[in-house]
Amino acid sequence: MTGADLFIVLIAMVGGAIRVSTPFMFVALGECLTEKSGRINLGHEGNLVLGAMVAYAGSYTTGSPWLGVLMAGCAGLVLGALHGWICKLPKVNDIAVGIAFMSFGTGLAFFFGKPYIQPSAPRLEAIPLGDWTGNSSIAQALQVNPLFFVGIALSVFLWWAFRNMRWGLILRMTGDSAASAKAMGVSVDMVRLLATAAGGFLAGVGGAFLSLYYPGSWNEGLSSGQGLMAVALVIFARWDPVRCVFAALLFGAAGAIGPSLQSIGISQGYYFFNAAPYILTLFIMIASARSKSAAREAPGELSIVK
Amino acid sequence: MTAVVSPPAARPISLGPRTMRALEALVIPLGALIASALLFSVFLILLGKSPATFFSLIWTGGFGSSFSIQNTLQRSAPLILTGLAFAIPARIGLTLIGAEGALVLGGFTAAAVAIPLVTGGIAPVVTLPLMALSAMAVGAVWIGLAGWLRHYRGVNETISSLLLSYIAVAIMNFFVEGLLRDPASANKPSTMPIGDAYRVGSMPGTSVHWGLAAGLVLAVALWILMTRTTFGFAARMTGGNVRAAKAQGLPVGFLVVACCAIAGACAGLAGFYEVAAVHGQANASLVAGYGFTGILVAFLARQNPLAVVPVAIMFGALAASGGLIQRRMGMPDATVLVLQGIIFVVLLVSETFYGRIPFLQARTTGDRT
């Protein structure tokens, strides 16, 4: 591998990380919001796939990709609200409900998505940030989708809101101690329902990015565990929205290794590199599972870290 | 003065708490099934399709003829095994959803082990058991790893097992598209076919492969293991309360890993039968979702190994009638997925009714809290 090749691979990885990380970012922010309220939603994979399908269908029928994004968010919102409602029933396990919603959301998406596999819908436009360099591979890598910036802005807003806004404090209190929330007269179930619904909305938007920007088409193999990896990512980011963005970028870079190497003609081990994000996630989970700082920052009511 | 032993007070129903609990475990899932059927009917009506046609097609496609019954049983064989793969760790309190990966990797291992043995001309009597054993061993290691990480490293087993599933599929793809690819498989990369002489045959008088018999035997054996042995008792106690089990000096780590390994072996065996009896080689067809349907099977069977069998047959029928529904009603094959998703969600909602339906409660006090 020459120096020029290495440069191309690195640039492709940076660009890939930006592209691949966006859905991770949205799902992770949604999951972070949900988990801060003390509940876990493992079903975001379902939201992601359904969101991708709805966004594509919405963009195809209305002609406006941004309307598609909104519709995807609403589909995710409905799934999230259902999840939140079911979890408030006594004796119902939130992890199991998440698994059920993974298959329910995916099933709905495949069912209604059949007619949209062939037609081509208008995509989201990227912002060309690298044209001034005059280098085609840099320009290619710096084609950044506006949703990426929306995600970053949102993460900073959430980070700020968790500390400074009334609802942020209520959300965190509910997540840390349901008993104290009750003592303050806060309806724990309602807070968690709203948090899960809002989290579902964000996961749906993440799905819209998949079908409307990168890879940029709707098919049944579109998502492969991004929704689930985001749950691990939130644990890794220790429930901090800003750290979620960095974790998402790291995951995106891992996911971009295979395609980047392919761009300079190395296709050996492509399938092995496909597994890189999963292996990375697993190692990160092993590393962060017994970490004391993670245990300290975890919402106290969360079933997954108990 | 002698103590007067009063006869037990007469009860309106003389069913004991065990019977009542069993009845509850039968009535509530059945109710959930009926409720999901109704919900799905509403879904069909909204789409302008007839629920009556749908359910009668499921009956025809699943049980209508001897061909469809055999088709159903053929498809329920892997579901029994993957259902067991979820149910056994569930008894010890783990939610493992990685059976799909163990199935794929087990099937791939069986096909890979077969390559030197078949080309070397080793007799099928030796080759097939070796394939089955290696598939089970690999499955056991794969799921056992999730259990080990859970117990010794505190890694959430639900997420790690699903990640391991994706890694398993990637490992198979890596080899099937590369090193072990059969040059003859142009359109669909596959390993070398094991050949008809090495196929697992059908059970006498049927066209159903022996995987069904293996599933039935394992279901009974694991039921005995979990309910009639010290191992099963210790495992269920650990599932009920880990701390109490540790305080009693039970080898919790061993129990957890052993239950996971059993689960992985079941899923790996399912993969072996998919390769040795159905496909004859390892390729992407192994990733057929049996592992995920197995989760639903186990939930509906309330993690009881014996109940897994009829539930698996029911879902086998659903899978077998998928094609018929597609052709006759013009609905996509994902219809079955939607129905499964609805059943899954409604089933979990139904969990809330345990202990809350008055006529299903035993009349003794202090038994259930």
Side-chain angles (χ1 to χ4, degrees):
Chain A
M1 198 188 284
T2 64
D5 278 351
L6 192 69
F7 178 72
I8 293 176
V9 168
L10 280 179
I11 286 295
M13 269 181 74
V14 170
I18 292 172
R19 267 197 308 273
V20 179
S21 66
T22 310
F24 278 124
M25 203 183 337
F26 275 92
V27 183
L29 289 176
E31 186 67 39
C32 184
L33 193 63
T34 311
E35 290 188 16
K36 276 276 186 193
S37 78
R39 187 174 282 156
I40 185 152
N41 183 358
L42 276 189
H44 275 159
E45 182 73 15
N47 292 33
L48 196 74
V49 179
L50 188 65
M53 190 288 285
V54 169
Y56 202 75
S59 169
Y60 176 69
T61 39
T62 64
S64 153
W66 287 102
L67 217 55
V69 172
L70 187 69
M71 286 159 83
C74 292
L77 183 88
V78 171
L79 278 190
L82 255 176
H83 183 287
W85 177 76
I86 289 172
C87 284
K88 83 177 172 52
L89 301 170
K91 294 188 185 179
V92 174
N93 172 325
D94 52 358
I95 291 188
V97 176
I99 300 171
F101 270 88
M102 222 185 272
S103 73
F104 182 54
T106 317
L108 278 182
F110 289 2
F111 182 87
F112 289 110
K114 269 276 152 30
Y116 299 103
I117 292 178
Q118 286 296 333
S120 132
R123 314 283 151 82
L124 292 170
E125 293 294 328
I127 308 171
L129 289 178
D131 282 356
W132 54 272
T133 55
N135 181 321
S136 67
S137 59
I138 294 179
Q140 172 86 37
L142 289 182
Q143 294 267 342
V144 182
N145 189 282
L147 274 178
F148 178 74
F149 298 110
V150 174
I152 288 179
L154 193 68
S155 75
V156 174
F157 169 70
L158 282 178
W159 175 83
W160 181 80
F162 284 155
R163 273 145 226 255
N164 296 302
M165 285 179 83
R166 187 182 153 74
W167 63 260
L169 294 171
I170 289 178
L171 188 81
R172 276 169 57 205
M173 175 173 67
T174 316
D176 277 327
S177 162
S180 15
K182 250 180 228 157
M184 292 276 292
V186 171
S187 162
V188 174
D189 285 335
M190 183 50 79
V191 171
R192 292 190 178 157
L193 176 73
L194 292 177
T196 318
F201 182 91
L202 293 181
V205 172
F209 181 90
L210 284 179
S211 63
L212 291 181
Y213 186 68
Y214 182 80
S217 67
W218 157 248
N219 64 66
E220 295 183 352
L222 191 59
S223 164
S224 44
Q226 282 100 322
L228 192 94
M229 278 189 271
V231 179
L233 195 150
V234 173
I235 301 175
F236 174 56
R238 285 185 255 132
W239 298 272
D240 180 323
V242 174
R243 277 198 291 245
C244 279
V245 171
F246 290 108
L249 280 169
L250 182 69
F251 276 54
I257 295 176
S260 314
L261 286 178
Q262 219 178 18
S263 69
I264 57 161
I266 299 179
S267 58
Q268 196 76 52
Y270 180 74
Y271 288 92
F272 176 74
F273 286 115
N274 263 354
Y278 309 112
I279 297 172
L280 177 75
T281 314
L282 196 60
F283 276 104
I284 279 173
M285 284 194 70
I286 295 170
S288 55
R290 284 276 158 89
S291 130
K292 286 211 178 75
S293 47
R296 201 168 53 236
E297 288 173 57
E301 296 274 322
L302 208 58
S303 56
I304 208 160
V305 287
K306 272 182 185 161
Chain B
M1 194 179 160
T2 54
V4 180
V5 180
S6 59
R11 295 185 199 144
I13 308 169
S14 57
L15 292 174
R18 278 180 77 107
T19 328
M20 289 311 264
R21 231 174 298 166
L23 198 64
E24 196 178 32
L26 187 68
V27 170
I28 292 180
L30 272 181
L33 274 184
I34 294 170
S36 349
L38 289 176
L39 269 178
F40 191 69
S41 303
V42 173
F43 177 76
L44 288 176
I45 291 169
L46 289 178
L47 291 172
K49 309 273 180 187
S50 150
T53 320
F54 181 83
F55 288 107
S56 70
L57 279 179
I58 287 194
W59 181 257
T60 322
F63 303 105
S65 63
S66 75
F67 170 78
S68 51
I69 289 175
Q70 296 190 10
N71 189 3
T72 295
L73 292 177
Q74 182 100 338
R75 286 164 193 266
S76 49
L79 290 179
I80 294 176
L81 290 168
T82 52
L84 291 173
F86 183 85
I88 302 301
R91 279 298 180 86
I92 201 163
L94 300 186
T95 314
L96 276 164
I97 54 177
E100 182 87 4
L103 186 153
V104 168
L105 210 57
F108 165 70
T109 310
V113 165
I115 294 172
L117 294 174
V118 170
T119 42
I122 310 286
V125 195
V126 183
T127 305
L128 285 173
L130 275 178
M131 285 166 68
L133 282 178
S134 48
M136 288 172 81
V138 166
V141 168
W142 207 242
I143 303 287
L145 181 63
W148 187 85
L149 285 174
R150 162 82 229 190
H151 187 75
Y152 294 98
R153 285 285 174 275
V155 177
N156 178 276
E157 78 284 359
T158 312
I159 302 176
S160 72
S161 61
L162 194 50
L163 289 172
L164 283 170
S165 257
Y166 287 115
I167 297 174
V169 175
I171 291 177
M172 184 190 73
N173 283 338
F174 176 68
F175 282 110
V176 166
E177 312 250 352
L179 264 174
L180 296 180
R181 178 171 180 169
D182 179 28
S185 59
N187 294 327
K188 192 173 195 178
S190 311
T191 56
M192 188 192 84
I194 56 172
D196 285 344
Y198 288 84
R199 288 260 188 142
V200 171
S202 308
M203 295 191 288
T206 65
S207 63
V208 184
H209 65 73
W210 283 99
L212 181 69
L216 292 178
V217 169
L218 270 173
V220 174
L222 289 176
W223 179 76
I224 293 173
L225 179 74
M226 294 315 277
T227 59
R228 296 289 181 270
T229 66
T230 330
F231 176 88
F233 178 75
R236 282 183 294 133
M237 183 174 167
T238 309
N241 188 334
V242 183
R243 269 187 218 161
K246 273 184 189 154
Q248 285 292 321
L250 290 177
V252 173
F254 164 75
L255 289 168
V256 164
V257 176
C259 281
C260 292
I262 292 172
C266 289
L269 189 66
F272 162 74
Y273 280 108
E274 284 303 292
V275 165
V278 182
H279 302 298
Q281 54 192 175
N283 55 35
S285 308
L286 279 178
V287 194
Y290 284 126
F292 295 114
T293 312
I295 303 169
L296 179 52
V297 167
F299 260 106
L300 201 52
R302 295 198 56 73
Q303 334 297 6
N304 179 334
L306 286 184
V308 159
V309 175
V311 177
I313 291 176
M314 194 186 88
F315 281 101
L318 199 59
S321 50
L324 194 65
I325 289 163
Q326 229 176 316
R327 286 194 303 277
R328 294 272 187 83
M329 296 183 78
M331 288 166 71
D333 51 356
T335 313
V336 174
L337 289 180
V338 175
L339 178 56
Q340 283 182 2
I342 290 179
I343 294 176
F344 209 155
V345 172
V346 173
L347 188 68
L348 287 170
V349 171
S350 79
E351 297 265 318
T352 192
F353 292 112
Y354 284 92
R356 289 169 75 191
I357 300 178
F359 67 86
L360 284 175
Q361 304 312 311
R363 279 161 203 279
T364 46
T365 50
D367 183 65
R368 288 180 69 95
T369 45

